[in-house]
Amino acid sequence: MLFKKNQELDSLLIKESERLIRSQRYVRSVVIKPVPIENNKDSVDISIRVLDTWSLIPTGAFSSSKANLELTERNFFGLGHEVNFDYIRSFANNTFAYDSRYFIRNIKNSFVNATVSSRTDLENNTFKTARLDRPFYSTLTHWAGGFYYDYRNFNEILSDINNQTSTQNFKIKTYEFWTGHSTKIFAGNSDFSRATNLITSIGYTNTTFLKQPELQYDPIRFSNSSKLVLATIGISSQQFYQDKYLFRFGVIEDIPYGKVFSFTGGFENKKNVNRAYFGGRFSYGDYLDFGYISANIEYGSFFNNGKTEQTTIKIETNYFTNLFSIGNWKFRQFVKPVLVLGNNRLNTTKDRLNLIDVNGIPGFNSSPLVGTRKFLTTFQTQSYNPKNWYGFNLSPFMNFTLGFLDNGNNKFFNNKMYSQIGLGVLINNNYLVFNSFQFSFSYYPSLPIDGSNIIKTNTFQNSDINLNNFQIGQPYVVPYQ
């Protein structure tokens, strides 16, 4: 909560506090309202009513080659901590993997968060991270910052110039530090003036390769230690609409809208070479007569002796329709296209785009498939059935994702289109401990490694279409992914 006892009543602080509480995944709904005090005209009590949801969520997936079971507890011992553990078993070679994570929110009511994680995959590669940060959690926040540590020990098959392959070992340590400050721009107490800020931030990243591949498999030494200093300055204006029937059945959800104008600059030292970096971002989002639309445009490039290197242009939009009805059913249509363009990228497959899972098509394995340009579009139709059957509401959804890569041949849409077609259902029951759960399966007409006509279960969720926010935080290089 952003307000305290004996403080002047502020409706914006109440709205922001509601939003912050509602953003906790173990909370289903919250109402904060002032209550008059009898025989007291200058003071009110504040009533806070919160409805929790069941916080232990089991999920899993099964195929002919492997299976996994994942458990997530979003309110560990009622502390608001989140624990996640994912166990994976491979049937092909009888190996197992795990992914564990512990997340502590809002330590001592300071809005400082802490996260530790550890992961070992089926190839016995290990990844460990730790993060301590205080984000710009609200437009009313003045200070933010954080620390991040990452350790990776993994093997990767690389090729030399004669196409001879070898398994190479990588050991990498990364440290990040950043801090930021937000200053109100406009006078007055309107929601817009209080939500519009000038934000400055500065960050430092140190990446050390404790072990790198042999020279013949990385002749340009792409995998090398580096130091990076970046600073960002920009204007951010962010507010929220409240809406229902988006990703959760009948629950109030906060939809961000606003604008961002920002510029990022800095220097990188890698292989004893200093390069300047410059980037910019423009974002806009709002509800219009025909639905909600947002756009995010980013440009970033290194400059070495007056020439651009590793340039990235990224354009992405989000659109969803107003809620419409067909009979007694309610529907929304979601569309999310993403275009990533690279120019003067380095001559290595490590500096290429792909269509793998998180940054591409859900559940997709496209390791042999790389390029310098990528176009990806996701369509999702979400339905909501207001009628219930013994307390259950069924909300079927359909997902279709398609992607193109230029494959390094300067072609784009003339290349093969890869796609995923998914069907799923969100099952809700307000009277059960498992308030909602999902089941889905995906069909892949063609996969570069696995073959054709592949069906997988639970490779995506109806909430995989993330909405952009309109906040500025830690400075970063525009991600080429």
Side-chain angles (χ1 to χ4, degrees):
M1 295 181 293
L2 300 178
F3 54 88
K4 298 179 180 179
K5 184 178 180 180
N6 296 326
Q7 185 178 351
E8 183 178 355
L9 183 66
D10 188 327
S11 61
L12 181 59
L13 292 181
I14 290 179
K15 287 198 302 182
E16 276 290 274
S17 297
E18 276 190 342
R19 182 183 66 81
L20 291 172
I21 295 173
R22 192 161 43 239
S23 68
Q24 311 308 306
R25 296 297 301 276
Y26 54 86
V27 172
R28 180 172 175 83
S29 64
V30 56
V31 176
I32 302 178
K33 62 181 180 180
V35 178
I37 301 175
E38 189 176 356
N39 300 323
N40 193 332
K41 296 183 178 181
D42 67 349
S43 299
V44 293
D45 286 335
I46 298 295
S47 168
I48 305 172
R49 185 173 183 179
V50 176
L51 176 62
D52 292 350
T53 187
W54 184 252
S55 56
L56 179 62
I57 311 296
T59 59
F62 181 86
S63 69
S64 59
S65 60
K66 64 181 179 180
N68 81 288
L69 174 64
E70 182 176 2
L71 292 175
T72 300
E73 170 55 62
R74 293 173 174 158
N75 191 14
F76 190 59
F77 285 116
L79 298 171
H81 300 182
E82 183 172 310
V83 181
N84 176 270
F85 185 81
D86 188 8
Y87 176 83
I88 305 169
R89 168 68 70 174
S90 172
F91 303 133
N93 49 20
N94 197 31
T95 57
F96 71 91
Y98 74 89
D99 188 354
S100 58
R101 176 176 174 268
Y102 195 93
F103 176 40
I104 304 174
R105 293 182 177 88
N106 195 13
I107 300 172
K108 294 291 186 179
N109 206 34
S110 62
F111 292 96
V112 175
N113 304 318
T115 309
V116 292
S117 68
S118 178
R119 176 168 67 93
T120 299
D121 65 18
L122 293 171
E123 285 73 41
N124 204 33
N125 301 313
T126 59
F127 308 87
K128 301 180 186 296
T129 66
R131 183 185 295 276
L132 187 70
D133 70 332
R134 186 180 196 263
F136 285 110
Y137 54 87
S138 168
T139 56
L140 306 176
T141 310
H142 295 299
W143 287 99
F147 164 76
Y148 173 72
Y149 168 78
D150 176 276
Y151 173 78
R152 289 172 283 166
N153 182 354
F154 62 95
N155 295 318
E156 191 169 316
I157 299 176
L158 301 179
S159 301
D160 61 14
I161 57 175
N162 298 317
N163 289 325
Q164 298 295 316
T165 61
S166 174
T167 300
Q168 299 291 300
N169 180 245
F170 293 77
K171 290 184 180 179
I172 309 169
K173 277 186 179 180
T174 301
Y175 297 91
E176 294 181 3
F177 305 88
W178 76 280
T179 185
H181 183 258
S182 175
T183 304
K184 183 180 173 182
I185 296 177
F186 301 112
N189 290 318
S190 68
D191 287 356
F192 172 78
S193 64
R194 297 178 69 184
T196 305
N197 299 284
L198 174 69
I199 296 177
T200 55
S201 61
I202 186 169
Y204 170 74
T205 301
N206 186 327
T207 301
T208 302
F209 278 75
L210 304 174
K211 194 168 185 179
Q212 57 192 151
E214 298 173 17
L215 186 60
Q216 68 187 88
Y217 298 102
D218 185 14
I220 69 170
R221 277 292 178 239
F222 178 82
S223 302
N224 211 325
S225 300
S226 64
K227 297 179 176 64
L228 178 67
V229 177
L230 293 175
T232 295
I233 183 170
I235 297 174
S236 167
S237 179
Q238 177 171 267
Q239 296 174 262
F240 293 87
Y241 287 109
Q242 291 184 3
D243 207 342
K244 291 184 177 181
Y245 297 103
L246 281 103
F247 305 113
R248 303 174 68 187
F249 188 92
V251 176
I252 293 177
E253 300 178 62
D254 297 286
I255 312 303
Y257 70 97
K259 302 180 184 68
V260 170
F261 300 91
S262 69
F263 297 96
T264 298
F267 294 91
E268 180 198 57
N269 179 273
K270 186 174 184 179
K271 297 182 295 186
N272 295 319
V273 175
N274 291 316
R275 298 190 297 173
Y277 179 83
F278 176 79
R281 175 190 174 198
F282 168 72
S283 296
Y284 170 83
D286 205 349
Y287 265 101
L288 304 175
D289 292 340
F290 52 86
Y292 173 87
I293 188 167
S294 70
N296 184 64
I297 303 172
E298 295 184 271
Y299 166 89
S301 182
F302 289 96
F303 294 83
N304 188 3
N305 294 324
K307 297 181 180 180
T308 60
E309 293 181 345
Q310 293 181 274
T311 301
T312 302
I313 299 173
K314 185 175 184 179
I315 303 171
E316 56 185 335
T317 62
N318 269 305
Y319 169 74
F320 60 81
T321 63
N322 296 319
L323 199 64
F324 61 93
S325 299
I326 300 178
N328 293 325
W329 287 64
K330 299 181 185 296
F331 293 85
R332 281 193 200 270
Q333 179 64 49
F334 297 81
V335 183
K336 184 178 182 178
V338 179
L339 175 66
V340 183
L341 305 175
N343 190 33
N344 295 331
R345 306 303 302 190
L346 300 181
N347 186 25
T348 171
T349 56
K350 304 286 288 184
D351 198 30
R352 292 293 183 268
L353 298 167
N354 58 56
L355 294 175
I356 296 176
D357 207 354
V358 177
N359 301 310
I361 300 173
F364 194 83
N365 186 354
S366 65
S367 297
L369 205 65
V370 294
T372 59
R373 302 177 182 182
K374 176 172 72 174
F375 178 75
L376 190 76
T377 302
T378 299
F379 302 88
Q380 183 166 302
T381 302
Q382 180 73 57
S383 67
Y384 313 89
N385 181 10
K387 294 184 179 180
N388 68 76
W389 181 72
Y390 292 101
F392 288 93
N393 293 95
L394 303 182
S395 300
F397 55 92
M398 181 177 71
N399 180 289
F400 173 59
T401 303
L402 59 89
F404 294 90
L405 283 172
D406 68 348
N407 293 340
N409 55 13
N410 296 321
K411 294 181 180 179
F412 206 59
F413 294 111
N414 291 332
N415 286 334
K416 183 176 181 178
M417 181 186 79
Y418 291 91
S419 61
Q420 170 256 359
I421 302 171
L423 294 174
V425 60
L426 177 67
I427 304 172
N428 300 270
N429 190 313
N430 293 336
Y431 304 103
L432 291 182
V433 291
F434 292 107
N435 181 260
S436 66
F437 52 95
Q438 295 185 22
F439 175 78
S440 65
F441 67 90
S442 299
Y443 168 72
Y444 301 86
S446 176
L447 292 176
I449 293 179
D450 299 330
S452 302
N453 302 320
I454 305 298
I455 294 178
K456 298 183 179 182
T457 61
N458 291 345
T459 58
F460 73 100
Q461 297 183 336
N462 76 322
S463 56
D464 283 347
I465 298 182
N466 296 320
L467 301 178
N468 295 323
N469 65 47
F470 303 91
Q471 189 60 275
I472 299 171
Q474 180 179 0
Y476 62 89
V477 172
V478 178
Y480 187 61
Q481 56 189 31

